């Protein structure tokens, strides 16, 4: 909701579009209600939906539609994950965490928001998998939000919580967490500048909870081209670039065909990961 309202404001104030934009919430079913609503308007370029990687994970786990049922419009940005612990945790780095679990895969408890197999879960499990640890032996507790998981961690109920980089940065500024690793390809700025990536710590891990825009099925080439051109101007605006920096988002703009190819590849990787967890349907 917040991301779309930021986008709508910039698109309208920058006169990237000539009509009013309305942000509509359709909660329920892990996004399934919203996706069903989108496809009630086949071939209509006036309806778009902001999707995240959960579109893939939910479908693979048998809880939602396939991305192939919609029209990819553009890949917008990646939101990387930070692995956090309490400031007084004996764990000083991501490598410390991995080595602890190599000795005992059940030694630590992870707080995951909001479902098994999602990017937050992948942010830690992929590093453990690289290290040869059986990720099915991870002790995980599912929470309804990153805030709830972090509160439980601060209360000593779980040991490690992976959350978005922006949320981790806000907590790190207040001295509430220590950040062990980030899932980005390079270090993130500001308060996270001293946090090494997983790759720096010896684990080839890159996890992005991306955001992409989809339209309903059956959109025409002309409709897709309109939004591609509009969004290409939008992502170059100073206002959008400021939002990216503020929220630790990484611009990765791709047009429709490129976005489809990226998501196809990501879907295959996510399916393999969930299959290893026994979550793929």
């Amino acid at each position: 909701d917040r991301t779309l309202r930021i986008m709508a404001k910039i698109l309208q104030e920058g006169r990237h579009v000539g009509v009013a934009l309305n942000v509509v919430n359709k909660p329920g079913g892990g996004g399934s209600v919203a996706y069903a609503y989108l496809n009630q308007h086949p071939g209509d370029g006036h309806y778009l939906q902001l999707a995240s990687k959960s579109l893939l994970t939910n479908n693979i786990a048998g809880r939602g539609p396939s991305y192939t049922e919609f029209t990819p419009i553009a890949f917008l940005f990646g939101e990387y994950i930070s692995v956090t612990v309490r400031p007084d945790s004996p764990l000083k780095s991501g490598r410390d965490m991995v080595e602890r679990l190599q000795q005992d895969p059940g030694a630590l408890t992870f707080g995951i928001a909001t479902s098994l197999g999602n990017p937050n879960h992948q942010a830690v499990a992929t590093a453990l998998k690289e290290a040869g640890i059986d990720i099915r032996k991870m002790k995980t507790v599912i929470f309804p939000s990153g805030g709830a998981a972090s509160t439980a961690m601060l209360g000593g109920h779980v040991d490690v919580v992976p959350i978005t980089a922006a949320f981790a940065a806000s907590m790190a500024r207040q001295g509430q967490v220590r950040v062990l690793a980030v899932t980005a390809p390079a270090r993130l700025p500001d308060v996270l500048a001293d946090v090494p990536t997983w790759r720096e710590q010896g684990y080839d891990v890159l996890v992005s909870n991306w955001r992409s825009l989809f339209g309903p099925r059956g959109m025409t080439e002309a409709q897709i081209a309109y939004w591609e051109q509009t969004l290409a101007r939008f992502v170059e605006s100073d206002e959008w670039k400021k939002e990216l920096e503020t929220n630790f988002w990484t611009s990765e703009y791709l047009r429709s065909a490129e976005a489809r190819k990226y998501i196809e590849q990501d879907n295959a990787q996510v399916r393999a990961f969930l299959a290893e967890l026994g979550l793929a349907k």
Side-chain angles (χ1 to χ4, degrees), residues 81-234:
I81 311 300
S82 297
V83 181
T84 66
V85 294
R86 292 186 303 279
D88 61 352
S89 170
L91 302 176
K92 306 297 183 183
S93 68
R95 182 176 286 278
D96 280 353
M97 184 193 80
V98 172
E99 291 176 350
R100 175 83 178 275
L101 292 167
Q102 282 176 322
Q103 297 173 11
D104 178 5
L108 301 171
T109 302
F110 296 86
I112 305 295
T114 55
S115 63
L116 286 176
N118 73 0
N120 288 339
H121 189 191
Q122 293 171 36
V124 289
T126 47
L128 303 184
K129 180 183 174 184
E130 275 247 328
I133 297 168
D134 185 350
I135 56 178
R136 290 171 297 182
K137 294 181 179 179
M138 287 176 64
K139 292 171 63 177
T140 57
V141 181
I142 303 303
F143 291 90
S145 69
S150 296
T151 297
M153 181 179 73
L154 296 178
H157 304 293
V158 295
D159 302 301
V160 183
V161 172
I163 51 178
T164 65
F167 187 19
S170 68
M171 296 187 73
R173 287 190 190 99
Q174 300 173 52
Q176 294 178 298
V177 298
R178 175 186 298 137
V179 185
L180 303 182
V182 293
T183 64
R187 292 197 184 195
L188 298 174
D190 196 37
V191 70
L192 300 179
D194 292 333
V195 179
T197 66
W198 271 126
R199 286 177 172 173
E200 286 181 84
Q201 299 182 67
Y203 309 99
D204 189 17
V205 172
L206 178 62
V207 178
S208 170
N209 190 14
W210 46 257
R211 298 293 190 278
S212 293
L213 278 174
F214 282 81
R217 64 180 184 272
M219 285 179 63
T220 66
E221 291 299 322
Q223 289 170 328
I224 295 170
Y226 168 82
W227 281 113
E228 285 181 328
Q229 293 163 12
T230 298
L231 292 165
R233 294 191 300 269
F234 161 78

Side-chain angles (χ1 to χ4, degrees), residues 39-68:
N39 263 348
Q40 288 172 10
H41 307 275
D44 192 334
H46 296 86
Y47 292 83
L48 300 179
Q49 180 160 339
L50 185 67
S52 72
K53 198 168 188 171
S54 62
L55 173 61
L56 306 184
T57 57
N58 287 345
N59 172 254
I60 293 168
R63 298 192 300 267
S66 168
Y67 72 94
T68 59

